[in-house]
Amino acid sequence: MKNKLLIYAHYFYPDVASTGQILTELSEGMSDTFDITVICVVPSYSGTIDEKYKTQRIYKEEYKGIKVIRVRVPEFQKSNKISRIKNLVAYFFNSLIATMKIEKQDYIYTISQPPILGGVLGVLGKWFKGGKLIYNIQDFNPEQTMAVGYSKNKLLLNTVMAVDKFSCKQSDEVIVVGRDMQETLRNRFNNKKVPKNTFINNWTNEKEIQPLEQNHPKIVAFKEKYNLQDKFIIMYSGNIGLYYDLENIIKVIGKFKNRKDVVFAFVGNGTVKGKIESYVNENKLKNVTFIPYQDKADLIYSLNAADIHWVVNAKGIKGVSVPSKLYGVMASGKPVLGVLDEGSEARLIVEECNCGVCIEPGNYEEIYRKINYILENKEVIKSLGVNGRTYLEKNLTKDVSINKYKNTILAIDSKNGKEKIEEIKQAI
């Protein structure tokens, strides 16, 4: 009989949020070992909600043998703080109500989304339904908020820090997604009584995202649809949000406005997209284009259409989060244009496998010089992408990471976990 595992996912299939995709694949990969129940919002990552999800508080569904409990939330605008807060609070309280309606659990797994609330949800789930708590920190908050100056209210920041430290202490295992994030966890506790923790990389499905030839019909069609033919394509793919310094990077891009041989493509959406679009329109940047989020099944074609991909974080994000887009770029065999702190997990990977070039965040002159270098050495830069794919196949596959999750969770309850860990090892 499988042990019961409750996952607080926030977003889950079919939502395109990166954490939603990770948790969907993690749930699928662990369903042979655990009896999994997922609690998440109704599909709503875009901010809008289908009418069929507006009549009940809780919707019970099944996805590939996984029990999925979706909770109703109000629609929101990503640019409107109040509507966003209402949405997150509704998820929190409706998830608690959903939790009370399910049976006892052996394990509770939660992520750091929504910020702070995700951790608290896991703690309350543990108190209400028993079991061991696994807290997967994808982003450290309030450190992330502090890094970009999103809030300077010391009382608020100190309070949320205390709350999230409490969630860490209540956890039986804290899982972070970067080596630099383990250092942040140790610093939170001044290297004293640091909660038990481990580091497991995120991933992309390397079997779904693979290198393709440029004459593939769907890549050709993608380029034709968005007028990208016969251009060197520098692409940003993913959340156009707060923590990537894109408001300043677009000003560097503006210096290349007269280059007709290059196009800067932004694929995705987010809170900062409007500001970037305004700058592009005001400065008549004709070689910058905006493309909607691609369906998961089509992501392979958009990623492969690029010649090089931005992988960026704002200054101060080292040890706070790891840009998951790195794994998709590597899987597609494309080189990385990294704007990443030295010693950050993403930069360590890029440098370990030599799959791109990196610049310190905030060094805009160097970003300008590096783009010039890339445009003058296009073929040399393109060849670096192969290194990333080779490294990923050896070290960063989906199965490698998911098996680490299984082993880590089972090892918490070492009494009956050892036998199952051996079964997993034999199956690999």
Side-chain angles (χ1 to χ4, degrees), residues 257 274-285:
K257 66 185 293 184
K275 289 182 182 179
I276 296 175
E277 283 183 309
S278 295
Y279 185 89
V280 168
N281 294 331
E282 289 166 10
N283 292 275
K284 298 180 172 58
L285 307 185

Side-chain angles (χ1 to χ4, degrees), residues 154-297:
K154 286 190 176 180
L155 178 60
L156 175 63
L157 294 172
N158 289 338
T159 300
V160 297
M161 176 67 86
V163 171
D164 207 54
K165 284 175 69 176
F166 176 76
S167 297
C168 290
K169 286 188 219 176
Q170 288 291 307
S171 302
D172 297 281
E173 187 83 38
V174 175
I175 299 177
V176 295
V177 295
R179 288 162 280 186
D180 53 344
M181 292 179 70
Q182 284 186 300
E183 184 179 345
T184 300
L185 184 65
R186 289 192 291 269
N187 290 339
R188 268 190 170 191
F189 292 90
N190 298 313
N191 285 312
K192 298 174 183 176
K193 296 184 179 179
V194 181
K196 189 169 179 289
N197 65 91
T198 192
F199 140 66
I200 304 175
N201 285 107
N202 281 343
W203 65 88
T204 194
N205 188 334
E206 77 285 351
K207 293 172 184 173
E208 291 180 0
I209 306 295
Q210 299 183 19
L212 297 175
E213 295 294 332
Q214 288 303 294
N215 61 2
H216 190 287
K218 291 206 173 183
I219 295 177
V220 172
F222 178 83
K223 288 183 177 181
E224 287 177 351
K225 183 175 183 178
Y226 297 106
N227 298 314
L228 306 176
Q229 312 99 304
D230 304 318
K231 306 280 187 183
F232 187 83
I233 302 168
I234 301 178
M235 182 179 286
Y236 179 93
S237 179
N239 178 25
I240 306 175
L242 286 169
Y243 308 109
Y244 311 108
D245 199 28
L246 296 174
E247 309 99 307
N248 289 310
I249 288 175
I250 193 66
K251 295 174 185 176
V252 179
I253 290 172
K255 295 180 180 180
F256 295 89
K257 66 185 293 184
N258 296 321
R259 292 287 299 252
K260 295 182 179 179
D261 61 326
V262 61
V263 61
F264 297 89
F266 288 84
V267 181
N269 205 344
T271 53
V272 178
K273 184 182 176 184
K275 289 182 182 179
I276 296 175
E277 283 183 309
S278 295
Y279 185 89
V280 168
N281 294 331
E282 289 166 10
N283 292 275
K284 298 180 172 58
L285 307 185
K286 299 191 182 301
N287 60 352
V288 177
T289 188
F290 294 91
I291 299 170
Y293 270 120
Q294 302 298 292
D295 290 338
K296 189 179 179 184

